[in-house]
Amino acid sequence: MNHQRWEHFPHEADMGIRGIGNTRDQAFEQAALAMTAVITDPVQVAAAEMVEITRAAPDDELLLVDWLNALVYEMATRKLLFSRFEVHVKDHVLNAHAFGEPMNPAKHHMAVEVKGATYTALRVAQESNGEWIAQCVVDV
Amino acid sequence: MDIALFARHTDYEWEIAPHGAMRVPAVIYADEALIRAMDHKVYEQVCNVATLPGIVKASYAMPDAHWGYGFPIGGVAAFDPDDGGVVSAGGVGFDISCGVRCLHTGLNTEDVMAVQKMLADTLYREIPAGLGSTGAIRLNQSEMDAMLAGGAAWAVKQGHGSAADLDHIEEHGQMRGARPDCVSEHAKKRQRDEMGTLGSGNHYLEVQKVVRVFDTRAAEAFGIRENDVVVSIHCGSRGLGHQIGTEFLKEMVTAASHYGIMLPDRELACAPINSPLGENYLGAMRAAINCALANRQILTHLVREVFSQVIPKARLPLLYDVSHNTCKAEEHVVDGKRRKLYVHRKGATRAFGPGHPDIPDILRAVGQPVLIGGSMGTGSYILVGTKQGEALSFSSACHGAGRAMSRHQAYKTWKGRQVIDELAARGILIRSPSGRGVAEEAPGAYKDVSAVVDAADAAGLARKVARLEPLVCIKG
C-alpha cells in the first residue's frame, strides 16, 4: 500500500505540517511538500531548478527541523519555491535534492511566508500500520 | 481551559500554584470568558515557563494569550542573572522585535475619505508587502553591521525620517548592547534585500480613524482626538530575526544539558544569561531589535512620501513605537528590592507607568503608549502603562487580539475576495497580494480585541486611551 501523502494540522497561531510515507525518507519529502503547501499550491510550482542540501543532527527529529529550516533559508535567499524532493537519511545524516522554480506572484498566489520550522508537535516515527510520520509546526 | 485549575484572586487575576518542577506560580490576567476560551496548551506552557532557572516572582500570561512555542504567545517572565537566570530564544520567538508603531497624520476622517482609494492604491504600490517582496535598499557588509548596531537611529542618519522620531521609539530607536558580530552570515544574507519590507502573515499597515477617546488627559498628552486619522505599521525584523531565532534555538537545545538545564519542552531552549551562549544570543537578539526598528523607520519614510503625494498637507510625526518579542534588561522592584532582571515578552508589550525614566520627557507624566494591533476589520487600541503594572507583570500588557481560530480553519471558512468585499462594504479598503493570506487573517479568526483590552484595563496592566478603526489596510 502506498502511504505517501501530506497534510496540515491545526495550530492556534500557525500551521502544523505532516509528511506521511512508506519510508522515513518519503515522510521527510512529504513534510517538505506540506510546507510548500502552507505558502502556495505545490501543483503550480515547476521542478525546474535543483538545490542540494546536506544536514546532520543528533536525532531524526532534530534532523527534520534542520531539513525544513534549510529549505526555508533557500527559499528566502534564492526566492525559490520547491515542489519535488529527493531525500536520503542514514544515521541522522540527510542528503537531499529540492527541485523548484523562482517565486512568481502572478503564478503562485503565495499566501504567507514560513519564518521557521519549530520543535512544537515535532515527531518522526513509524506507526503500527507501517507508515512513517514526519511532522512539526511551522511559524508563519 | 477549566477554571477549576486556578485560584481566582480577582475577577481578572488567576493563579496556578507551583506544582511539579515549577519554581514559582503562574498567573494569567483575563476575565472568566477569556480564560474559558483559552487553549489548554496555554496552561501547560505558562506552567512550563515557571520551571526555568532563575525565574522571578511568577510566569505570566496576558489576556490575549494563546498557544505559542515554549512560551505562550502573550507570555511574560523575568529572570535574575545572579540567580542562574536564563535567556530563552524560544521565549523571544522567531520574529524578534515584531512590533507596532503609530504615526499621527494631522488629518481628520473627512480629509482621508475624500482620497481613500487613491491613498490605498498608492500605499499598496509603494510599500513592499507579501512573500518574496524586496525593498529598494541593498546593504553591503559594513552597512549591514552599522544598521544592526544603530537601529532606527541608523535609518534616520541615512535620511529615513527625522531625529525627532527617535524620542518616540523604545530605547530611543537604538538598542544598546547589539553585537552584529554575533549575527551569522546566513542571517545577514537573509536580510540582504528585505530592508523596508512589511512581510506577510499578520503584518500590516493601516490607516485608522480614532473613533473613541476613553482617557482625555492621556489622549491629549499623546496628541490624539476623536476623528483624527493615524497610521499604524505592524512588522518586525524580517528574515534576519527569523534566522537568528532558528539558529540560537538549535544551539540552545543542544547546549541545555551542558548547562544542566532540564527542558520540559524543547521550544523553551535557553542558556544562562551569564554564559557565552547567553551573551552571544543577547548580542544577536539586540541586533535583530535594531533591524526591526530600522525596518519600521524605513517603512515610515515610505508612508510619509506617499502621504506627501496624495495629501500634501499631511504631517506624520511619530506617536510611539513598541516591540513585542524581546528580552530586555530592566530594573524592577521585587519584594522591596530593586533588581536588574531580564524580562521576556513573547507577544506582549512593555507598558511602563507614569514617571518611568525610559519614557520620553514629553510623555513621562502620563506613561508609555501601549499600541494594541487589530486585524483588518476589528479595531485597534492605544493604551497607557500604569504604576501598578510593575507589580502585576513587570510592566507588561497584551499586544493584540490573539487568534481564536487556526489559519487552517480560517482558510476553510472564508475566501479572501469575500473578506475584502465585506470589509469594503463597511468602508474599509484592503489591498493585499494574497487572497488566501487575507482569508487566513480574516477578522473573524481573531478574538474580540475589545474583550482583551477591557480585561487588560480592568486588571490594571494598562489603561484604555483610544479606540481606532481601519480605513485602509495594506496586508502583507
Side-chain angles (χ1 to χ4, degrees):
Chain A
M1 185 180 171
N2 184 10
H3 294 290
Q4 277 195 85
R5 65 186 189 280
W6 60 264
E7 59 195 31
H8 292 155
F9 61 91
H11 176 274
E12 201 170 5
D14 293 299
M15 197 77 99
I17 60 170
R18 181 177 292 135
I20 300 159
N22 299 309
T23 63
R24 181 178 44 204
D25 291 353
Q26 286 179 0
F28 272 54
E29 291 168 0
Q30 293 292 320
L33 203 52
M35 184 165 73
T36 296
V38 171
I39 304 164
T40 188
D41 180 358
V43 173
Q44 302 301 323
V45 180
E49 293 183 28
M50 190 266 284
V51 174
E52 192 171 353
I53 292 170
T54 303
R55 285 288 184 279
D59 62 51
D60 283 346
E61 291 188 336
L62 296 178
L63 190 63
L64 175 68
V65 173
D66 267 9
W67 156 236
L68 297 171
N69 276 327
L71 292 171
V72 168
Y73 177 78
E74 298 297 339
M75 284 192 282
T77 54
R78 296 174 192 250
K79 300 283 184 278
L80 286 174
L81 293 167
F82 298 111
S83 58
R84 192 165 74 76
F85 307 91
E86 291 173 357
V87 172
H88 300 287
V89 175
K90 191 177 178 192
D91 299 332
H92 316 312
V93 175
L94 173 143
N95 288 290
H97 294 106
F99 300 85
E101 68 170 331
M103 293 174 179
N104 176 349
K107 177 181 180 187
H108 296 127
H109 305 292
M110 297 170 290
V112 70
E113 179 178 18
V114 174
K115 295 171 184 168
T118 79
Y119 301 117
T120 298
L122 174 59
R123 187 161 175 258
V124 175
Q126 189 171 23
E127 305 287 58
S128 54
N129 64 356
E131 68 185 18
W132 279 84
I133 301 276
Q135 69 169 46
C136 71
V137 169
V138 294
D139 190 339
V140 297
Chain B
M1 289 194 293
D2 179 0
I3 61 166
L5 296 167
F6 297 86
R8 182 179 190 153
H9 287 319
T10 71
D11 285 349
Y12 300 94
E13 183 176 343
W14 306 72
E15 183 174 305
I16 306 160
H19 60 272
M22 288 171 71
R23 298 167 193 260
V24 292
V27 173
I28 302 181
Y29 294 105
D31 64 23
E32 185 174 331
L34 288 167
I35 287 273
R36 285 184 184 277
M38 277 179 199
D39 193 306
H40 186 73
K41 289 281 185 187
V42 175
Y43 176 91
E44 290 175 15
Q45 292 188 324
V46 76
C47 291
N48 284 342
V49 172
T51 71
L52 294 177
I55 188 167
V56 176
K57 277 179 73 179
S59 158
Y60 297 100
M62 302 292 106
D64 54 341
H66 54 282
W67 181 20
Y69 312 116
F71 277 54
I73 310 292
V76 174
F79 297 85
D80 186 340
D82 297 328
D83 191 24
V86 294
V87 57
S88 168
V92 172
F94 286 85
D95 203 351
I96 298 169
S97 194
C98 176
V100 179
R101 64 167 46 190
C102 184
L103 306 162
H104 298 285
T105 65
L107 304 170
N108 61 37
T109 308
E110 291 72 30
D111 295 327
V112 169
M113 292 308 283
V115 290
Q116 186 191 20
K117 184 171 181 304
M118 189 193 302
L119 187 61
D121 292 340
T122 314
L123 284 168
Y124 184 53
R125 193 176 66 232
E126 299 298 330
I127 305 293
L131 179 52
S133 60
T134 56
I137 297 168
R138 297 288 179 279
L139 303 179
N140 63 30
Q141 193 169 333
S142 64
E143 290 166 338
M144 176 70 75
D145 287 353
M147 181 274 288
L148 295 175
W154 169 86
V156 166
K157 271 191 202 156
Q158 304 300 309
H160 308 292
S162 71
D165 292 335
L166 303 178
D167 290 337
H168 296 262
I169 303 173
E170 288 185 351
E171 322 303 336
H172 295 276
Q174 182 175 18
M175 187 75 218
R176 286 183 296 279
R179 295 268 309 274
D181 58 307
C182 293
V183 178
S184 72
E185 290 308 312
H186 272 55
K188 290 174 183 174
K189 190 175 173 189
R190 211 167 147 180
Q191 190 61 23
R192 202 172 45 190
D193 52 11
E194 293 199 343
M195 293 308 298
T197 62
L198 198 58
S200 63
N202 63 356
H203 292 164
Y204 61 77
L205 185 155
E206 277 188 359
V207 180
Q208 302 161 322
K209 59 181 172 181
V210 179
V211 293
R212 190 168 168 199
V213 165
F214 302 94
D215 181 330
T216 310
R217 178 172 166 262
E220 196 172 309
F222 292 173
I224 47 176
R225 292 164 303 180
E226 285 183 13
N227 206 38
D228 279 357
V229 170
V230 298
V231 176
S232 293
I233 301 170
H234 178 218
C235 65
S237 51
R238 308 293 294 111
L240 181 128
H242 309 165
Q243 191 67 23
I244 289 171
T246 296
E247 291 170 3
F248 277 95
L249 198 63
K250 179 182 173 185
E251 203 172 341
M252 286 178 171
V253 164
T254 312
S257 60
H258 166 74
Y259 289 117
I261 298 170
M262 294 294 293
L263 296 176
D265 176 346
R266 279 183 284 208
E267 290 287 347
L268 287 173
C270 56
I273 294 160
N274 292 330
S275 70
L277 179 53
E279 287 168 3
N280 286 349
Y281 175 69
L282 285 166
M285 183 211 63
R286 289 166 180 156
I289 291 175
N290 280 331
C291 180
L293 298 180
N295 194 40
R296 290 197 285 273
Q297 187 64 35
I298 294 166
L299 286 166
T300 295
H301 184 62
L302 295 175
V303 170
R304 286 173 175 157
E305 288 190 330
V306 168
F307 271 77
S308 73
Q309 286 176 40
V310 179
I311 317 177
K313 72 173 181 178
R315 295 288 176 271
L316 283 81
L318 183 54
L319 167 57
Y320 209 62
D321 179 302
V322 300
S323 294
H324 297 151
N325 297 346
T326 59
C327 172
K328 290 189 174 179
E330 296 170 4
E331 288 190 354
H332 289 280
V333 176
V334 181
D335 298 330
K337 279 191 194 165
R338 183 163 289 279
R339 294 162 70 177
K340 183 182 178 184
L341 304 174
Y342 285 70
V343 184
H344 293 63
R345 298 187 179 92
K346 167 86 168 280
T349 305
R350 197 186 76 178
F352 284 149
H356 196 286
D358 286 355
I359 302 173
D361 296 348
I362 194 169
L363 302 173
R364 192 170 299 150
V366 287
Q368 179 193 323
V370 175
L371 309 174
I372 307 296
S375 52
M376 294 191 289
T378 57
S380 301
Y381 283 85
I382 298 173
L383 284 73
V384 62
T386 64
K387 282 273 190 198
Q388 66 265 41
E390 175 160 8
L392 291 170
S393 59
F394 299 109
S395 299
S396 309
C398 51
H399 83 312
R403 288 194 78 95
M405 182 189 287
S406 70
R407 292 178 174 280
H408 187 80
Q409 187 61 36
Y411 178 52
K412 285 183 176 172
T413 306
W414 294 285
K415 292 283 167 263
R417 186 74 251 167
Q418 167 201 356
V419 173
I420 290 168
D421 289 347
E422 284 175 8
L423 290 171
R426 289 170 45 198
I428 303 165
L429 299 185
I430 307 296
R431 296 288 184 273
S432 174
S434 171
R436 182 171 143 194
V438 169
E440 289 181 3
E441 291 287 330
Y446 281 83
K447 291 178 194 173
D448 177 357
V449 68
S450 298
V452 167
V453 165
D454 285 347
D457 182 304
L461 305 175
R463 207 172 59 249
K464 283 194 294 187
V465 176
R467 176 180 164 83
L468 316 173
E469 288 183 359
L471 299 171
V472 171
C473 179
I474 310 301
K475 194 78 183 166

